[in-house]
Amino acid sequence: MSDTHRQAADQHELAAHAHRTAAEHNEKGKNELGNWHLERAMEYSDHAYKLAKEAHSKSGQIQSLEPTPVLHDTEPVYQNHNRAAELHDRAADAHRIAQKNEQGGELTGDEHSRRALHLSQAADNLTKAIALGSGVTTFAHDEIAALAYELWQARGCPYGSSEEDWLHAESELRARIPKR
């Protein structure tokens, strides 16, 4: 379980970095680049939240959590990205604390795991709210992974092409969206 917390923390850190990069681009008026980084944040956030649920469910105390994201429509989008990045950082820290407590055998590991899951869900919800407000269409990590795997198999399973297949899968999924 502690490895799953570590993986979730890593994904949250990637999401936070993607949000900060999106904020920089949005602040400079480069919204297309900002949206590209927002899409990356969505993927990392989605994956982190799934890992958080998996890690916490292994503790036997899974429960439904529904934190409400706070999206401020009146503020520039880059400020919402900065809020999301901070929330992802807090979630990553909580996962790292949960991981340490599990390794040390402390009795408080389940509470730390619950807090990490709560922060993961809040971060994921805020990321999704920003994407929706920015008009960015997102895909679940599993959806991209499944298509990337199909594309890799169709190409004869070549070694060392995972990033190429992933990017091609993203492009193909975007191309399937009807234009407005």
Side-chain angles (χ1 to χ4, degrees):
M1 177 168 41
S2 64
D3 189 50
T4 309
H5 278 298
R6 181 193 53 75
Q7 292 172 358
D10 292 346
Q11 291 296 304
H12 278 296
E13 288 171 354
L14 290 169
H17 179 72
H19 273 295
R20 285 189 180 92
T21 305
E24 290 173 14
H25 288 301
N26 287 135
E27 191 172 15
K28 294 175 183 175
K30 298 178 180 179
N31 294 333
E32 189 173 319
L33 281 172
N35 285 346
W36 187 88
H37 287 283
L38 174 56
E39 290 169 4
R40 303 295 76 72
M42 278 293 303
E43 292 165 15
Y44 297 135
S45 179
D46 179 63
H47 195 209
Y49 180 46
K50 286 177 182 169
L51 288 167
K53 288 190 290 189
E54 178 185 335
H56 191 65
S57 69
K58 290 177 183 177
S59 75
Q61 295 188 5
I62 191 73
Q63 55 191 339
S64 177
L65 301 169
E66 293 298 328
T68 304
V70 179
L71 184 63
H72 300 285
D73 292 332
T74 59
E75 294 182 359
V77 70
Y78 68 86
Q79 288 180 350
N80 284 314
H81 280 300
N82 288 331
R83 272 194 202 86
E86 290 170 15
L87 196 49
H88 279 290
D89 284 338
R90 289 177 53 207
D93 290 343
H95 281 292
R96 299 228 187 269
I97 290 168
Q99 177 188 14
K100 286 178 186 173
N101 285 332
E102 288 169 0
Q103 291 172 345
E106 292 182 26
L107 296 175
T108 60
D110 287 336
E111 179 57 27
H112 289 292
S113 179
R114 186 203 60 75
R115 177 164 169 69
L117 175 61
H118 179 75
L119 288 167
S120 291
Q121 186 175 25
D124 189 53
N125 285 346
L126 183 53
T127 298
K128 288 175 181 170
I130 292 168
L132 182 64
S134 298
V136 171
T137 304
T138 58
F139 304 99
H141 182 270
D142 295 345
E143 190 176 4
I144 299 168
L147 182 55
Y149 183 73
E150 287 176 27
L151 294 170
W152 175 71
Q153 286 183 315
R155 293 185 322 108
C157 307
Y159 177 77
S161 65
S162 60
E163 186 173 313
E164 176 184 336
D165 294 317
W166 188 271
L167 294 172
H168 187 229
E170 287 178 325
S171 296
E172 191 170 312
L173 286 170
R174 278 189 197 83
R176 294 177 185 176
I177 299 170
K179 302 293 180 203
R180 295 179 217 188

